Amino acid sequence: MKRTALLASAAGAVLALSVGSSALASNVHFKSGSVPTFKDNGLTLTSTGSLTGLGNSDVTVNLTADGQPIATCTNPSGANQPAGQNPAKFVVSGSVTIPGSFIKNGNLSFSVTTNAPPTPVPGAPGCPNKNWTETIVDVVFSHPAISVVQGGSTVLSYSGSL
């Protein structure tokens, strides 16, 4: 009797583990024939794509890229915009979390946009002095990368190009 109860308990544990793991991603990848696209919006970068092989839990898509800002400097009177020294490169990022209920048969489409850099630039470091106003007018993006997180683990990483 003890043996039967032990076997039944072990079988229940195996069943619980197999049911729980079915909600986890097993082979996440971009849909056949597609890779994510990247769109330069001026001050932000947007990526869209379609994933497959997902489990049923929430998905977070992270987007990062290097950004080289292009800025103008305006003197206090607002009349002069000499060629400015552009601020240093920085990393831009953005993320979107999509509820598991949006995943259909392991498939999910996403769109994620980076945050815009602060403008005007505090302290105007690329201008003649801090009394000037430094405004970022564009960002040149490079080295975009996406990571997909599900169940607390990174299930897919991708480095693209613009």
Side-chain angles (χ1 to χ4, degrees), residues 6-19:
L6 182 60
L7 286 174
S9 177
V14 168
L15 180 61
L17 287 174
S18 66
V19 169

Side-chain angles (χ1 to χ4, degrees), residues 92-145:
V92 295
S93 64
S95 67
V96 62
T97 298
I98 303 166
S101 61
F102 284 62
I103 300 168
K104 302 299 177 205
N105 297 321
N107 298 301
L108 177 69
S109 294
F110 68 86
S111 179
V112 58
T113 300
T114 61
N115 297 314
T119 189
V121 179
C127 297
N129 66 55
K130 66 179 180 174
N131 295 325
W132 290 53
T133 301
E134 183 174 13
T135 305
I136 297 176
V137 295
D138 193 18
V139 177
V140 177
F141 299 101
S142 61
H143 308 105

